[in-house]
Amino acid sequence: INTFLDIERVNWIVLIYGSLLAARGDIGILAGKLSTALQQKTIKPVYRNNTPLFKNILVSLLTIITVDALAIGCLTYCSNLVLFPKELRILNPTLFFVIPFLVLYITTVSSIITTTLFSFTLNRIKANIDLFIVPLTNSINNILMTFFYFGTVTLLKPWGKSVQDHPLFGEFYPEPENADLLYTYLAIIPILVVVAIILYLN
């Protein structure tokens, strides 16, 4: 079966995706902070030997994203239990937490690289950072979020293997068993490593 057809039969896809797009605004904070700090010269347009403020902004952003991922996991899991009929509910909460953490961390790191690159380049050529960087990075973040979300879901495939058919809901994948969540469980390890690093930096 085609992968994209598989995704169409997974009912929680849009539930998590909508919440992730809402959290995308927190990633965009970086652009505003950088543009202001670069103009005030409290941050230097370099990666090495930058000011403590630069590190504090990055650590704060990763901390906010961690809280966002936890909140999205709680919200989408509870929404899944309340909004979906019993045939479509997922009782195992693992995928509702692992996927937001993975997607937000990957998107945030990618956004940090692209945002700092554009900001530092514009600052060096004396361009108006405020005019370009915020709308530019917001558009890029939307693309990155969507790409990494569907890429993560496609790689993990955290759903049951057999398609079921229901007269009201059409074809759908049932709740995944533990064997179906093997890659999702393994993804917990790098997430815990990142969380530990963030806690250490704080």
Side-chain angles (χ1 to χ4, degrees):
I1 301 174
N2 184 279
T3 299
F4 293 101
L5 292 179
D6 287 353
I7 290 177
E8 287 178 3
R9 297 182 178 123
V10 182
N11 295 278
W12 45 262
I13 287 286
V14 175
L15 196 65
I16 297 180
Y17 180 57
S19 300
L20 287 173
L21 285 181
R24 182 260 308 160
D26 287 343
I27 301 176
I29 292 174
L30 176 63
K33 293 290 185 183
L34 270 182
S35 63
T36 301
L38 284 168
Q39 292 186 60
Q40 295 177 345
K41 302 189 183 305
T42 53
I43 283 179
K44 297 183 287 186
V46 293
Y47 288 102
R48 293 184 178 181
N49 301 318
N50 212 316
T51 64
L53 179 60
F54 182 62
K55 174 193 169 184
N56 291 339
I57 289 175
L58 298 185
V59 173
S60 298
L61 175 61
L62 290 170
T63 304
I64 292 170
I65 290 304
T66 302
V67 175
D68 282 346
L70 187 60
I72 289 172
C74 293
L75 176 64
T76 53
Y77 178 65
C78 292
S79 297
N80 144 76
L81 296 178
V82 173
L83 300 177
F84 289 168
K86 66 178 182 179
E87 293 89 350
L88 304 182
R89 288 176 196 154
I90 308 296
L91 299 180
N92 187 334
T94 306
L95 67 89
F96 290 97
F97 289 91
V98 169
I99 292 174
F101 270 100
L102 275 180
V103 174
L104 285 177
Y105 280 153
I106 295 171
T107 304
T108 302
V109 171
S110 301
S111 179
I112 287 172
I113 294 170
T114 56
T115 301
T116 53
L117 178 63
F118 286 132
S119 298
F120 292 169
T121 302
L122 289 171
N123 181 262
R124 288 182 185 128
I125 64 176
K126 309 299 183 183
N128 189 331
I129 302 177
D130 289 331
L131 183 62
F132 293 104
I133 196 63
V134 174
L136 180 62
T137 54
N138 280 342
S139 300
I140 292 173
N141 288 341
N142 276 334
I143 297 170
L144 290 175
M145 184 76 74
T146 301
F147 176 78
F148 289 132
Y149 176 56
F150 286 99
T152 299
V153 169
T154 301
L155 288 173
L156 296 182
K157 291 185 171 59
W159 50 74
K161 293 293 185 287
S162 59
V163 179
Q164 294 186 7
D165 195 13
H166 192 281
L168 294 178
F169 318 123
E171 292 184 339
F172 68 96
Y173 282 98
E175 179 172 9
E177 299 178 358
N178 283 330
D180 303 320
L181 292 172
L182 175 61
Y183 295 124
T184 307
Y185 290 140
L186 290 175
I188 295 174
I189 298 173
I191 290 172
L192 291 177
V193 171
V194 174
V195 171
I197 292 172
I198 293 170
L199 291 174
Y200 173 77
L201 293 174
N202 275 288

